Amino acid sequence: MSTLIKSLAALAIMAMLGIGTGLATGAAYAAEPQTKCPVMGYAINKKLHADHNGKRVYFCCPSCESEFKKNPEQYIKKLEEQGVELEKTPA
């Protein structure tokens, strides 16, 4: 077996076991603040936001806010899967 194939096989096994990702040890990863719009992916404008279930989501433009409101859970899930920690809605 070539060295490349052995290396790829080792990486695949490590990924399945969560080695090197913090998953095997249960280590938490450092979440990042939101910097990109969940709809278009552009830089956010802190003046444009929507609150949903205690979480604040920012957008790049008003049309993205409208799109978000059609299915907020989809966009929140997308951000969280990317390691984004959303701000909590102010009390």
Side-chain angles (χ1 to χ4, degrees):
M1 197 182 291
S2 76
T3 304
L4 175 60
I5 293 173
K6 288 179 185 177
S7 296
L8 291 173
L11 287 173
I13 291 169
M14 289 172 61
M16 287 187 290
L17 296 175
I19 297 171
T21 63
L23 295 175
T25 61
Y29 63 90
E32 298 289 327
Q34 184 187 355
T35 59
K36 303 223 184 248
C37 173
V39 180
M40 296 292 289
Y42 297 122
I44 59 171
N45 177 345
K46 287 274 195 165
K47 294 179 182 177
L48 300 172
H49 62 81
D51 297 332
H52 183 76
N53 288 343
K55 297 176 182 179
R56 176 159 286 178
V57 180
Y58 295 97
F59 309 98
C60 62
C61 64
S63 62
C64 286
E65 182 179 355
S66 298
E67 186 65 28
F68 169 83
K69 289 180 178 179
K70 293 177 185 176
N71 190 352
E73 293 298 329
Q74 167 193 343
Y75 292 106
I76 289 173
K77 180 180 177 186
K78 176 182 174 182
L79 287 168
E80 290 176 343
E81 286 175 348
Q82 293 172 351
V84 173
E85 183 176 357
L86 296 171
E87 291 180 13
K88 292 184 175 152
T89 304

